[in-house]
Amino acid sequence: MAESSDSVSEPLPISLVAGRYLLFDINVVTYLRRTHHICGTLIGSIPQIPQQNVFLGLPVELMPEEARLLVEKEAAYIVDDFAWHKERFNTFKGADRADYLESLRSEGFKARRAAEATSQNKKKNALAKQAVRKSREEALEGAAMKDPTDGGEAESPFDYDRPDSPAPSTVSISTNKPYAVTPTATYSTSSLPANPAQQPNPDTTSSYHLFAHLHSKDYFVMPGLRFGCDYNVYPGDPLRFHSHFAAVSYEWDEEIPMMDLIGGGRLGTRVKKAFLIGGKDLESKAQDGDRVRTFSIEWGGM
Amino acid sequence: MAPSATTSSPPPPSALSQALMSSTATSDRQGYEHPAYLLHLAQTILHNLQYQHSWTSLQIHTCSSAMLPLPRPMISGLPPKRAYIHPDEQAEIIKAEHEAGTSIEQFAEREWVLPTSIGEKWSLKRFTGVFDALDVVPPTEDVDGEMEGEGEGGSSVGSKWRGANRQKRLLLSTLHDDSTVVYYIMHDGIVKPRQN
């Protein structure tokens, strides 16, 4: 993670895979979160332990609303991975291909260097700890009577999580080889469309108006499944704040049963939120703004 | 059951029935006639506010301040204590109380009440119609010694969130068939929740 999210430049590609909007680059993810208040949802699990779903990683899936908002702000564009793969993979030859392979190689070297630096650090720390322990033992017992390799190594915590080191000869051969990098797309970033504006906007439901309205007021808008609403609305980054609203979008004329308002208001108040309803005002004569009308509902306490 | 079966005369009307019967005669003083069931609904909610929640200075409005008919009869009244304190105002009050070392007395404000019944279906459009027809603070026709704290509240702590400065709001009251009434604070626009 040496390069920060400053290294990304707009417009950013969003991969469309099987109808889902995905981001594979951690720099892009942090950049969108910091600059555009777009968080998305981490959906990547560990291949061998897919049932572990508490801590998920890349890729990040964006709601269609998030993807559309970014496209409309011209901060991003959609790449249909399947179509682009079919179009480009067979013609991926010559200098382009060589460049791409070279970029994979350099990524692999980078990963290798990072891994080696980490293991070097580990080794250094372990040796330092061992030295401290040994000197303490010597101080306690006076003259050291033990074999130094015996006590030190058996207690090292790093013996448990690592298999035995390979023989020295194999290590010296493999140092020159890059780590294998699994690319997330079958095309190189340099071959992405030159004119991204031609892509159609992502399809969204009518709740997009409410989403865009809340987003324009600097709220962080997350999926609302947890509270049975369309959106969970945070006043700042969800890692730092509790959400303020459970928001549900309605059409201007859509009938809202009273029970839904009472249920939403009661649930929202119980979890220290307000129940927010809103939608596009079809009769507003205002020329400026997005003409979204909202109401906040809380329990009256009586 | 047995004694009443012998007499053919109906039981005497309840307090609420009496209130409903007397209200239909007086409610059209503002000149606009809403359907009777809406007036009765408002009257039932008013009755609940008056006798269960100890509200005072209650009145039913059928017209807006611009003398246009309201979408339905609205109630305004004075709760026994403040019905709503904005979280930022609360924070300011606590800060001021901490600095002064004394507690700051809070006065109730007049509130709008929108009567609805549980079987109804509303929409954003209809809520907009109600909110747009209302003033921020309900008008007071008869000033019979109401203490609204307006007089000395001009520059007091938290006045940014009181009186005409407050965000337009109403109490959404919903009547169930078993005569239970529930009340929800409804704000016009995005208003952050209270830290209750």
Side-chain angles (χ1 to χ4, degrees):
Chain A
M1 307 309 114
E3 332 106 292
S4 66
S5 54
D6 305 330
S7 62
V8 304
S9 63
E10 294 183 16
L12 301 156
I14 298 172
S15 297
L16 175 61
V17 182
R20 310 173 90 167
Y21 299 95
L22 302 176
L23 299 171
F24 293 98
D25 186 344
I26 188 66
N27 294 323
V28 170
V29 172
T30 49
Y31 173 82
L32 288 180
R33 187 172 187 124
R34 193 176 295 156
T35 315
H36 292 290
H37 296 184
I38 295 287
C39 299
T41 319
L42 288 161
I43 60 165
S45 62
I46 304 165
Q48 293 190 328
I49 321 169
Q51 65 274 50
Q52 188 283 109
N53 59 3
V54 180
F55 302 105
L56 296 173
L58 288 175
V60 158
E61 181 177 3
L62 299 177
M63 289 189 278
E65 290 92 328
E66 291 175 314
R68 176 168 166 193
L69 190 109
L70 289 171
V71 170
E72 287 189 354
K73 283 174 91 173
E74 294 180 8
Y77 58 96
I78 308 295
V79 179
D80 186 336
D81 264 25
F82 179 60
W84 202 251
H85 169 78
K86 273 177 78 170
E87 189 179 327
R88 287 301 166 99
F89 193 63
N90 290 332
T91 59
F92 199 25
K93 291 193 178 98
D96 265 1
R97 190 183 159 87
D99 282 353
Y100 180 57
L101 289 177
E102 184 49 45
S103 78
L104 283 187
R105 260 176 72 82
S106 72
E107 280 290 306
F109 275 125
K110 219 185 275 171
R112 159 156 227 120
R113 273 199 298 275
E116 278 171 357
T118 316
S119 77
Q120 286 284 337
N121 272 342
K122 263 191 181 174
K123 206 186 277 174
K124 218 188 285 170
N125 287 342
L127 286 172
K129 247 186 223 161
Q130 205 176 321
V132 167
R133 193 187 307 123
K134 218 193 298 176
S135 66
R136 203 186 293 141
E137 276 169 9
E138 276 169 8
L140 278 174
E141 298 176 16
M145 300 302 287
K146 292 163 59 180
D147 185 350
T149 51
D150 234 46
E153 258 176 50
E155 286 170 49
S156 165
F158 303 104
D159 282 349
Y160 298 108
D161 56 5
R162 251 191 331 179
D164 284 341
S165 307
S169 59
T170 48
V171 170
S172 66
I173 288 170
S174 63
T175 31
N176 303 326
K177 273 168 102 185
Y179 276 14
V181 171
T182 310
T184 53
T186 56
Y187 46 82
S188 82
T189 45
S190 61
S191 75
L192 284 168
N195 191 2
Q198 293 164 339
Q199 306 288 325
N201 276 353
D203 280 339
T204 51
T205 54
S206 62
S207 63
Y208 176 71
H209 299 296
L210 181 63
F211 175 90
H213 179 71
L214 292 167
H215 189 271
S216 74
K217 303 225 175 281
D218 280 346
Y219 287 100
F220 282 67
V221 187
M222 302 284 282
L225 176 68
R226 270 171 231 199
F227 298 102
C229 52
D230 288 341
Y231 305 115
N232 216 347
V233 185
Y234 293 76
D237 192 298
L239 289 174
R240 298 179 57 214
F241 292 89
H242 286 295
S243 64
H244 272 183
F245 304 102
V248 174
S249 163
Y250 289 99
E251 305 277 348
W252 182 238
D253 264 334
E254 187 179 345
E255 288 192 328
I256 311 171
M258 289 308 299
M259 205 57 109
D260 289 6
L261 294 176
I262 293 165
R266 190 70 203 211
L267 172 84
T269 306
R270 184 70 190 90
V271 291
K272 303 189 180 190
K273 304 181 198 327
F275 181 57
L276 187 96
I277 57 172
K280 181 106 172 161
D281 184 344
L282 300 178
E283 289 163 27
S284 168
K285 286 161 188 77
Q287 292 301 308
D288 53 338
D290 49 15
R291 294 190 279 171
V292 169
R293 189 79 184 217
T294 51
F295 300 103
S296 314
I297 298 166
E298 278 181 88
W299 183 48
M302 52 186 264
Chain B
M1 283 297 121
S4 64
T6 54
T7 59
S8 58
S9 63
S14 67
L16 180 56
S17 309
Q18 275 171 354
L20 290 177
M21 280 188 286
S22 62
S23 72
T24 37
T26 58
S27 61
D28 59 346
R29 61 190 161 153
Q30 283 172 305
Y32 183 78
E33 193 73 56
H34 284 99
Y37 69 93
L38 287 177
L39 281 170
H40 284 175
L41 178 65
Q43 201 61 40
T44 311
I45 303 278
L46 185 144
H47 192 270
N48 182 272
L49 285 169
Q50 188 172 2
Y51 293 109
Q52 189 172 339
H53 298 292
S54 311
W55 282 41
T56 51
S57 310
L58 286 155
Q59 65 186 83
I60 291 179
H61 303 257
T62 54
C63 287
S64 68
S65 58
M67 294 320 284
L68 294 167
L70 291 169
R72 65 168 52 190
M74 298 285 295
I75 304 166
S76 74
L78 197 62
K81 59 179 173 53
R82 286 191 69 180
Y84 178 84
I85 300 177
H86 190 278
D88 289 344
E89 183 187 359
Q90 181 97 58
E92 200 165 288
I93 290 169
I94 290 170
K95 216 173 169 189
E97 282 179 343
H98 185 73
E99 278 166 12
T102 54
S103 69
I104 298 169
E105 201 180 348
Q106 295 298 317
F107 298 99
E109 290 188 293
R110 273 192 93 77
E111 302 290 342
W112 284 114
V113 182
L114 170 64
T116 63
S117 88
I118 189 67
E120 287 184 67
K121 296 210 165 50
W122 278 72
S123 64
L124 294 176
K125 181 182 171 170
R126 289 180 67 198
F127 281 124
T128 300
V130 169
F131 270 101
D132 287 353
L134 296 181
D135 297 329
V136 173
V137 182
T140 46
E141 275 186 12
D142 34 296
V143 189
D144 47 347
E146 276 176 15
M147 36 177 244
E148 298 209 28
E150 292 289 340
E152 42 89 59
S155 62
S156 70
V157 178
S159 59
K160 264 197 304 186
W161 292 277
R162 285 204 300 270
N165 297 327
R166 75 190 195 188
Q167 186 85 6
K168 203 184 270 188
R169 66 169 179 249
L170 52 76
L171 264 176
L172 178 67
S173 63
T174 307
L175 176 70
H176 198 273
D177 296 344
D178 67 357
S179 81
T180 307
V181 186
V182 292
Y183 296 93
Y184 283 81
I185 300 269
M186 190 168 188
H187 272 99
D188 192 4
I190 302 171
V191 176
K192 69 175 170 179
R194 292 173 289 181
Q195 296 297 305
N196 40 11

